[in-house]
Amino acid sequence: MFSVLQVVLALFIVQTAANPLPRANNVILDSATFTGTSTGKVTKFLGIPYAQPPTGDRRFRLPEPIPPYTGTVQATASGPSCPQQSAHLPLPEGLPSDIVDLIANTAYKAIFPESEDCLSINVIVPSTATPTSKLPVAVWIFGGGFELGSPNMYDGGPIVERSIQLGEPVIYVSMNYRLNAFGFLASQEVKDAGLGNLGLQDQREALRWIQKYISSFGGDPTKVTIWGESAGAISAALHMVANDGNHEGLFRGAFMQSGSPIPVGDITHGQVYYDAIAAETGCSSASDTLACLRSVPYATLKTAVDHTPFIFDYQSLALAWIPRADGVFLTDNPQKLVQDGKVANVPFITGDCDDEGTLFSLANLNVTTNAQFRTYIKTFYMPQSTDAELDQIMNLYPSDITKGSPFGTGILNVLSPQFKRLAAFQGDAVFQAPRRFFLEQRSGKQSTWSFLSKRLKGIPLLGSFHFSDILNVYFGGEMEDYLINFVNKLDPNGEGRGINWPKYTTSSPNLVTFNDNLLFPVTISQDTFRTEAISFLTEVTLANPL
Ligand SMILES: *[C@@H]1O[C@H](CO)[C@@H](O)[C@H](O)[C@H]1NC(C)=O
């Protein structure tokens, strides 16, 4: 089991190693020649700027298109990551060292260098691709809680190689986007200026860049699938409801691993964090705080950002920096937009891991009593809830350890008295409930598929934790082939590994289920678990989004 984890670690450490046999591989964009690096099978063009640097007066502004390229450019190294919120994770005693390493490498490992000038894009193509190839395109949006992360953490090369092997070649694209306060500043001031959700706007600019340039690499701009994990999957989901569902032809399908339209409310809900940053940088009393924040030195601003709550702090998934309804790009609570039918009408896949909440419950292990659990939920997830609603949540997510997450592990994995309970609640509130709601609302109206990853269940304390399905797609699992099929034909079925994946419908809410079982690694189950609890959660969060 742990050798598999070591493979994950390798993902973060090895990166895109220098190729022993590079050969010239050029692409012409405007009047510039970009040279990439070839392995013989695939060619990588890395670190291409796709927007103007969001620095100086462009900080906290919409991304601006890049002017036409000129000259000769070596596109052989990834660009710097966007500013990362610094991690401080309270890891408990008794976690296996592999797990600690994995988490540490995910959250802490220097995704360096980082720079405010970070809006670059990577394109990986089959080496035989030419400007007439018209290949479908998979656009990867990385996760990291909208606070950290980088495309450099993931190597798309093996996926492109596998697509060639399957006879369904694809192009892989990944982009940087602004994170934490740099990308998701939220307040009345931001709302008035029409400058919300800049990180999503960056992704959108990258999608426009793809429309303009991907054919030069051999791609077909009409065959773009957006795809991501965690914050990346939530991003893909939000692109489906952004602009009231008008996707502007930027993509034709979406593939979401652990992320669906989330219940977030008005952008002014982020005011407290905006005010904290303004205060710490000395901008509070400025007549125009936003202009002031634009003028403070990078290091000062970054320090202030690092003092705001982080995904592995006590409030965990009740994120400080997160997309919110800005009135322009996201006109309402994303779940409301789904309910109103303001959704891009494209085929989509959205699935989750079985134990989405465990990793995040490591941050709140000192919640040990029923009363503390109740206070925690009220404070961070349901500030508007009534006593009756909280009573109901307490009943639907009982303190019975055999009902908690990691699910199906009986009396095991009780790291602290409320750990499994809070893990169950957090996983459902942020992942399972939004996923099921999205599917229930849209199945029958557009093509929908869903999955549940129950792999790595035996990992102590964490079970099939958030992020564990990355193995299945980046390290040669069935998910990789389902993805390649979907990107080619808007249907996950076809070539390669895995069983037939039936659509998700209201009458038959099918979940392709990935198991540890060697005889039955993939089965079909029904999306009927915790029905009452999840529908109540949806009801409450829809009425009072975060
Ligand atoms: C747990 O620790 C955090 C951070 O130190 C603190 O803010 C919180 O109040 C504590 N919660 C409980 C229930 O003791």
Side-chain angles (χ1 to χ4, degrees):
M1 171 205 313
F2 289 133
S3 63
V4 181
L5 282 173
Q6 272 140 15
V7 177
V8 180
L9 289 180
L11 171 72
F12 298 103
I13 295 158
V14 175
Q15 305 294 332
T16 45
N19 184 334
L21 289 171
R23 62 182 166 92
N25 271 272
N26 297 333
V27 66
I28 312 279
L29 307 180
D30 302 320
S31 53
T33 303
F34 287 79
T35 303
T37 313
S38 175
T39 63
K41 288 184 185 137
V42 304
T43 304
K44 298 179 178 181
F45 298 92
L46 306 176
I48 302 173
Y50 69 83
Q52 302 254 31
T55 55
D57 191 55
R58 289 199 200 92
R59 178 191 286 164
F60 300 135
R61 288 197 195 279
L62 294 173
E64 288 177 34
I66 195 94
Y69 298 105
T70 56
T72 305
V73 188
Q74 294 295 314
T76 50
S78 329
S81 308
C82 289
Q84 310 278 306
Q85 193 163 338
S86 75
H88 25 97
L89 173 58
L91 281 177
E93 300 281 315
L95 268 185
S97 60
D98 303 69
I99 297 292
V100 173
D101 281 355
L102 172 66
I103 297 166
N105 276 283
T106 309
Y108 290 87
K109 181 93 190 176
I111 308 161
F112 290 126
E114 62 183 56
S115 167
E116 200 177 356
D117 178 2
C118 61
L119 299 183
S120 64
I121 197 163
N122 310 303
V123 182
I124 306 179
V125 304
S127 293
T128 53
T130 69
T132 58
S133 299
K134 292 200 179 305
L135 302 179
V137 184
V139 182
W140 170 248
I141 310 175
F142 66 84
F146 301 101
E147 293 175 348
L148 78 167
S150 153
N152 309 343
M153 294 160 66
Y154 308 88
D155 183 5
I159 293 178
V160 177
E161 286 188 24
R162 175 67 178 170
S163 75
I164 299 167
Q165 198 178 33
L166 290 180
E168 296 184 319
V170 303
I171 289 179
Y172 172 99
V173 179
S174 58
M175 87 294 274
N176 277 292
Y177 59 93
R178 281 174 283 177
L179 302 163
N180 51 65
F182 291 90
F184 296 95
L185 204 58
S187 69
Q188 186 65 51
E189 294 86 340
V190 171
K191 187 177 187 176
D192 293 344
L195 295 176
N197 298 314
L198 296 175
L200 296 179
Q201 296 277 8
D202 291 343
Q203 296 165 7
R204 203 85 168 183
E205 186 59 32
L207 293 174
R208 285 189 282 268
W209 183 95
I210 290 167
Q211 288 301 304
K212 187 166 175 194
Y213 290 113
I214 204 66
S215 55
S216 304
F217 293 87
D220 183 342
T222 70
K223 293 186 179 167
V224 172
T225 294
I226 50 176
W227 156 54
E229 187 266 349
S230 191
I234 294 171
S235 297
L238 296 181
H239 285 294
M240 292 183 69
V241 296
N243 211 14
D244 284 345
N246 177 2
H247 67 335
E248 305 167 274
L250 295 172
F251 53 90
R252 66 163 192 170
F255 194 111
M256 293 158 278
Q257 298 181 235
S258 300
S260 296
I262 44 171
V264 282
D266 192 77
I267 193 164
T268 53
H269 293 190
Q271 190 77 42
V272 59
Y273 308 111
Y274 180 93
D275 291 347
I277 291 221
E280 191 169 334
T281 54
C283 285
S284 290
S285 54
S287 58
D288 181 343
T289 48
L290 205 43
C292 179
L293 286 169
R294 258 182 215 115
S295 69
V296 300
Y298 168 74
T300 309
L301 182 58
K302 177 68 166 59
T303 303
V305 171
D306 287 342
H307 290 159
T308 59
F310 178 64
I311 190 167
F312 290 123
D313 283 341
Y314 186 55
Q315 72 185 67
S316 193
L317 288 173
L319 297 170
W321 310 108
I322 191 172
R324 300 177 192 273
D326 58 47
V328 184
F329 187 63
L330 287 177
T331 56
D332 203 343
N333 167 9
Q335 287 199 326
K336 199 69 182 23
L337 293 171
V338 170
Q339 205 172 35
D340 293 347
K342 295 176 176 172
V343 184
N345 186 9
V346 299
F348 70 88
I349 294 173
T350 178
D352 286 329
C353 300
D354 204 32
D355 301 301
E356 291 284 1
T358 48
L359 194 55
F360 305 103
S361 293
L362 296 180
N364 29 60
L365 290 173
N366 63 345
V367 175
T368 56
T369 66
N370 288 334
Q372 288 168 346
F373 175 83
R374 189 183 175 105
T375 304
Y376 189 89
I377 303 298
K378 169 96 179 161
T379 309
F380 295 116
Y381 286 98
M382 302 184 170
Q384 327 257 15
S385 56
T386 62
D387 279 348
E389 284 170 338
L390 282 171
D391 288 345
Q392 183 74 330
I393 290 289
M394 298 287 284
N395 291 334
L396 292 169
Y397 291 90
S399 59
D400 179 351
I401 52 175
T402 65
K403 302 232 165 76
S405 176
F407 295 108
T409 60
I411 59 166
L412 300 179
N413 298 313
V414 183
L415 188 52
S416 81
Q418 302 277 327
F419 170 75
K420 290 179 82 172
R421 184 185 202 182
L422 206 43
F425 175 84
Q426 297 198 107
D428 280 0
V430 180
F431 300 99
Q432 300 289 8
R435 178 191 58 78
R436 187 176 290 168
F437 176 77
F438 195 24
L439 290 159
E440 283 173 352
Q441 292 286 318
R442 299 312 301 174
S443 62
K445 303 188 178 100
Q446 59 204 95
S447 295
T448 52
W449 292 265
S450 189
F451 70 82
L452 183 65
S453 181
K454 297 177 117 170
R455 295 248 169 102
L456 304 182
K457 199 52 146 176
I459 292 200
L461 310 179
L462 299 180
S464 305
F465 63 102
H466 183 71
F467 190 79
S468 56
D469 59 328
I470 283 284
L471 284 173
N472 201 345
V473 72
Y474 273 96
F475 289 92
E478 302 89 348
M479 192 93 85
E480 181 182 36
D481 293 354
Y482 286 135
L483 169 79
I484 291 166
N485 286 323
F486 185 74
V487 171
N488 270 273
K489 298 173 307 207
L490 296 175
D491 184 330
N493 296 294
E495 306 302 316
R497 296 162 291 212
I499 61 170
N500 182 64
W501 187 343
K503 278 184 189 162
Y504 187 107
T505 63
T506 328
S507 56
S508 194
N510 299 300
L511 296 171
V512 144
T513 305
F514 301 102
N515 311 297
D516 288 321
N517 190 314
L518 287 178
L519 283 178
F520 301 102
V522 191
T523 53
I524 306 294
S525 67
Q526 299 298 298
D527 190 14
T528 48
F529 54 86
R530 301 189 294 288
T531 311
E532 195 188 350
I534 286 179
S535 70
F536 184 69
L537 256 181
T538 299
E539 192 184 307
V540 175
T541 54
L542 197 55
N544 289 303
L546 274 178

